[in-house]
Amino acid sequence: MSSSDLDGQYEVFRTLLDVATPAEAVKKLQILQLPEEQIQQLRELHEQRMLQVREREEPRTVVHGNRDTWYTGPRDTDVAWPAVRRIQEENGWPEKAITDLDNASTRIVSLLSHPKEREFSTRGLVVGYVQSGKTTNFTSVMAKAADRGYKLFIVLAGIHNGLRKQTQARLVQQLVAPNPTRWSQLTGLDKDFVPPENAQSYFGDSNQTHVVCVVKKNATVLRKFEKWLRSASAYLQDAPALVIDDEADQATVATTSINPLIRNILDALPKSAYLGYTATPFANLLIDPSADDLYPKDFVVNLPKPEGHFGTEVLFGRYALDDEDPADLDDGYDMIRNIPDEDVHNVRPASRADIDGFAPTITETLREAVHYFWLTTAARRVRGKGNPHSTMLIHTSVNTQVHNSFQKPLENLRARMRECLDDPVTIDRLRTLWEHETKQVLAEEFGEAKVSFEELWSEFPAVLDDCRVIMDNSSSEDRLDYDNGPVVAIAVGGNTLSRGLTLEGLSVSYFVRAVSAYDTLLQMGRWFGFRNGYADLPRIWMTEELQRWFRHLATVETEMRRDIDVYMREDESPMSFAVRLRTHPSLRVTAAAKMRSAVHAASAYGGRRIQTRYFHTNAEWLQSNQEATRELVARSCREAKQRDDAPERGRYVLRGVPHEHVLRFLESYAFHSESQDCNAQLLSGYIEKRVRVGSLRQWNVAIVGNPSRDVDDDFEFAPGVRVGRVTRARMHSSVPDYADIKTLMSRADAAVDLEGVRRGLAEEDIKRERKRLLPHTGLIVLYPIDKHSAPAERRKHLREPLDAEDHVIGVGLVFPEPERTRDDSTVRWDGSYISADLSGVQIEEEDYSPVESEDMA
């Protein structure tokens, strides 16, 4: 058979796949008495097409068993997917972005069960990024599933009306409107599910349309929906259903009402595919996979980060992972502005008792943020491209009374600005703000042209006229609505704006709310996403504490996603994937109720390089650490088996020091509380347990400084052990008695005690050489840091002088990788989940009351 004839017959075979599973399609060909040789050729061609889908580099997947990859991509006769694709093209999506969307959605649909299987109950999870296009992805999945015969589409759209309405609008625009005769809607823009009469009529043979509904995760709504579904049970056997759980970690996991209701709905459907979407999968991957729950037992898909996406790391930078050199990492764009701690109580009540009668003050930082929002909106109008909407978010509290208290002060601020448009002092102040900000982040770095103050000033009065102040919360009637022309809005809100909902054209955020769970905090980052046409302009005002939290969170997220990719390369099943991922320390950071099935994380110190980067700057704390360090060096000088002195290079290495001295040092040296990796109790516990299996009994103690030249510039650790002090300037900060130096150790310092090893080795090479030369020996590196430590000229925009009251002692610890017979997984300790002490922080937890509320139904 020629290749063209084979291709023609294969299209016939694909047509059969619309009404039959692959195995049944082959039987139909046999009934039609197609020669067995041709059938075999068609099967081989189909297998090749399936293999191409399975082996795509992106998105990465982990799949249970040998699930049939029955779907090999769109066909010329499809209707729903071509409409979605056309809309993205009209919206100006680059061809590569559309191709990536096509490939990702094809892979996900290929993992669903074939709609013609007699019964199925599929469970899957798709992991994306906050504000990265997950809605467009699952819309594409729904379109392709509809084109292949799925009948019922249920979208669980968060717990608030705002997200439900926004999701409904997008599905209508991209699925229903292009093909209105092919869809029946059970919900509308302004109404959640209300049971229509005669449920059977939606699923009988006489109704060939696809049925779509977008419902909140609200107990009353879901109970009504389940009851309505069961009234049509006789007709559901031929109604394959796809359930999309948007924000699948919210309200779905470990809730007493929503979780069982979702499972009841799935139980009512003989053919159901449950597909969770989330950017924060901590809770979903902590579900007990052996329980009758919503664990993604069949597959997990890890979507790649889209090009041009603003994520946590881009804005806040992150800390180095184990195999990275901190000096190689970017600190993120200079888009974060500081809110002093003394401002917080002016924009948020100090306690719940202070909520009644609370009146916010327009602080200098809030005024500056609002002024910058108006300026940047005017600049975007000058550019005349990108998103037509412009939004500012003010998020200080979860309480609706607090939100509403901002209305009058913000309206007054706008009115005063309108009156001062001819005031030279006001104009000069705005000009200074604009010129300062445009120098901090250059438009050219993002391929944009700088907008001068004179250019934007002509647009400024109209921006003020168009700007609305909106209280967007569960009790407000005036909500953000982007469907009726361009919006310029200052939105004040809490939970309704903090998860899932897209704030169109978000340019400025003013954020002081504190929470206790990383997944909640990450979801509050409405500033993540795409900023086409104004990527140089977004700014975020927040406290330094929240900045540090987000920076740490960027590290947690990067590590988690990297490890998920590693497991995806190694594992054959989500069931084993779950067990190992659950023991990862990064997944400790979700609500306690969601961690009931979690286990304590095993030690992660094996093969790692731990270093101090945070310090107090008061003399008492620093001098105590100096004393602890001098005692360690003195004891090491007396008992070391070998000593290598190189004062001309600022290096000393004391070899074969008994581990007891290191443990004593860890008891007396004080680590800053921000240094979560440097927990003295956990470090000591790990060392002691490794000692019991025959490792880490000997340590090398290294001193790393500058060459000793002048007594005034030296630091003496012990008689005859003296080096020049090193410089480590601190990151900009206004927090008293606090210094963050970001980087202490260089990669080369982790090899300071390796003899005969060339310089310039990569991190993995150093680990390998340590394992070869010193497989059971730990290394502790001590650094004397000059108390003044001025930054280099080229770093002054990021750093400032250390200005400590005395010299600082930095500490690095390098642990050898354990042997397989002494695996770290056998080394555990109680309380291995490390989290910040939040006892002194006013915490406002995520509010789940809407899931039970009758008013929200």
Side-chain angles (χ1 to χ4, degrees), residues 116 254 262 293 321 327 332 354 363 417 443 458 493 612 680 793:
K116 292 302 180 181
I262 293 174
D293 210 325
L321 302 183
D354 299 316
T363 63
M417 177 57 69
S458 62
T612 52
E793 189 66 33

Side-chain angles (χ1 to χ4, degrees), residues 233-248:
S233 58
Y235 297 84
L236 295 179
Q237 187 63 49
D238 294 321
L242 175 58
V243 179
I244 301 288
D245 190 350
D246 192 14
E247 306 298 335

Side-chain angles (χ1 to χ4, degrees), residues 12 15 70 106-107 146 149 159-160 196 340 374 456 497 503 587 600 610 634 656 723 753 766 789 826 850 853:
V12 174
T15 302
W70 58 276
T106 287
R107 181 59 177 133
I159 66 175
H160 294 290
W374 290 329
L456 70 82
L497 300 179
L503 299 179
L587 294 179
H600 284 299
I610 307 299
V723 295
D753 60 336
I766 292 174
S789 287
T826 64
S853 172

Side-chain angles (χ1 to χ4, degrees), residues 258-306:
I258 302 303
N259 179 280
L261 283 170
I262 293 174
R263 287 188 280 130
N264 289 347
I265 288 170
L266 294 172
D267 288 342
L269 297 165
K271 299 181 178 183
S272 70
Y274 169 86
L275 188 55
Y277 275 77
T278 183
T280 49
F282 309 113
N284 305 82
L285 295 174
L286 290 174
I287 299 172
D288 183 354
S290 64
D292 180 21
D293 210 325
L294 298 174
Y295 182 78
K297 62 181 177 61
D298 293 304
F299 61 86
V300 178
V301 178
N302 196 23
L303 295 177
K305 183 177 179 179

Side-chain angles (χ1 to χ4, degrees), residues 550-783:
F550 272 106
R551 188 180 179 91
H552 180 75
L553 183 57
T555 312
V556 171
E557 185 183 17
T558 300
E559 186 173 38
M560 177 196 71
R561 292 180 187 279
R562 188 176 70 168
D563 287 352
I564 286 176
D565 273 347
V566 169
Y567 293 140
M568 285 181 165
R569 294 188 194 102
E570 296 177 351
D571 287 333
E572 297 179 356
S573 166
M575 304 300 281
S576 59
F577 170 85
V579 172
R580 289 194 281 180
L581 192 59
R582 290 191 313 170
T583 65
H584 192 283
S586 293
L587 294 179
R588 64 186 179 268
V589 284
T590 188
K594 300 175 184 178
M595 296 181 63
R596 289 172 182 156
S597 299
V599 298
H600 284 299
S603 160
Y605 289 132
R608 292 186 62 189
R609 171 160 57 101
I610 307 299
Q611 56 182 308
T612 52
R613 60 170 289 173
Y614 303 102
F615 303 93
H616 289 290
T617 55
N618 70 81
E620 182 180 359
W621 191 84
L622 296 170
Q623 289 164 8
S624 175
N625 278 351
Q626 289 179 16
E627 182 180 349
T629 305
R630 287 187 169 112
E631 288 178 4
L632 170 64
V633 174
R635 288 192 295 267
S636 300
C637 287
R638 290 195 299 270
E639 298 194 33
K641 295 180 179 178
Q642 181 182 335
R643 175 169 162 172
D644 298 334
D645 294 359
E648 72 283 356
R649 294 194 299 115
R651 300 288 189 272
Y652 291 83
V653 178
L654 308 170
R655 300 180 182 276
V657 176
H659 72 277
E660 291 88 352
H661 298 326
V662 174
L663 292 175
R664 192 177 304 172
F665 170 73
L666 292 175
E667 287 180 6
S668 54
Y669 181 93
F671 293 100
H672 194 285
S673 59
E674 287 278 338
S675 300
Q676 295 187 11
D677 271 344
C678 301
N679 181 301
Q681 181 181 358
L682 298 183
L683 287 166
S684 297
Y686 175 75
I687 293 169
E688 289 169 346
K689 291 176 182 181
R690 286 286 299 275
V691 166
R692 287 200 287 272
V693 294
S695 187
L696 292 183
R697 293 178 177 176
Q698 300 289 317
W699 283 72
N700 294 338
V701 177
I703 294 161
V704 173
N706 287 322
S708 177
R709 293 192 179 95
D710 189 324
V711 172
D712 292 338
D713 294 329
D714 286 353
F715 187 91
E716 186 176 56
F717 286 88
V721 181
R722 175 191 299 273
V723 295
R725 297 188 296 271
V726 298
T727 297
R728 296 289 189 273
R730 67 175 171 179
M731 309 296 289
H732 286 303
S733 173
S734 61
V735 178
D737 192 28
Y738 172 83
D740 172 8
I741 65 169
K742 186 186 176 184
T743 305
L744 174 70
M745 300 181 73
S746 71
R747 182 190 300 124
D749 294 344
V752 67
D753 60 336
L754 298 180
E755 296 181 296
V757 173
R758 64 179 175 83
R759 296 176 61 83
L761 291 179
E763 191 87 26
E764 288 303 314
D765 295 329
I766 292 174
K767 286 183 181 180
R768 185 166 52 252
E769 289 301 305
R770 293 204 70 83
K771 193 167 186 176
R772 180 175 69 88
L773 299 172
L774 298 169
H776 303 300
T777 302
L779 169 65
I780 185 166
V781 188
L782 307 171
Y783 298 81

Side-chain angles (χ1 to χ4, degrees), residues 75-87:
R75 298 180 56 197
D76 293 340
T77 55
D78 289 346
V79 174
W81 160 248
V84 173
R85 182 186 182 102
R86 184 171 59 253
I87 288 171

Side-chain angles (χ1 to χ4, degrees), residues 174-237:
Q174 298 187 23
L175 290 180
V176 179
N179 300 289
T181 61
R182 293 176 176 266
W183 293 90
S184 297
Q185 299 182 71
L186 297 177
T187 54
L189 282 179
D190 298 316
K191 69 180 182 74
D192 206 327
F193 177 76
V194 176
E197 295 182 1
N198 193 12
Q200 297 92 326
S201 65
Y202 285 86
F203 303 106
D205 291 338
S206 61
N207 190 334
Q208 296 301 308
T209 64
H210 305 290
V211 181
V212 61
C213 58
V214 184
V215 298
K216 292 190 308 295
K217 286 186 256 189
N218 172 277
T220 302
V221 172
L222 295 181
R223 288 190 193 100
K224 288 189 292 187
F225 186 69
E226 181 199 349
K227 182 178 180 181
W228 182 82
L229 266 183
R230 292 192 183 278
S231 72
S233 58
Y235 297 84
L236 295 179
Q237 187 63 49

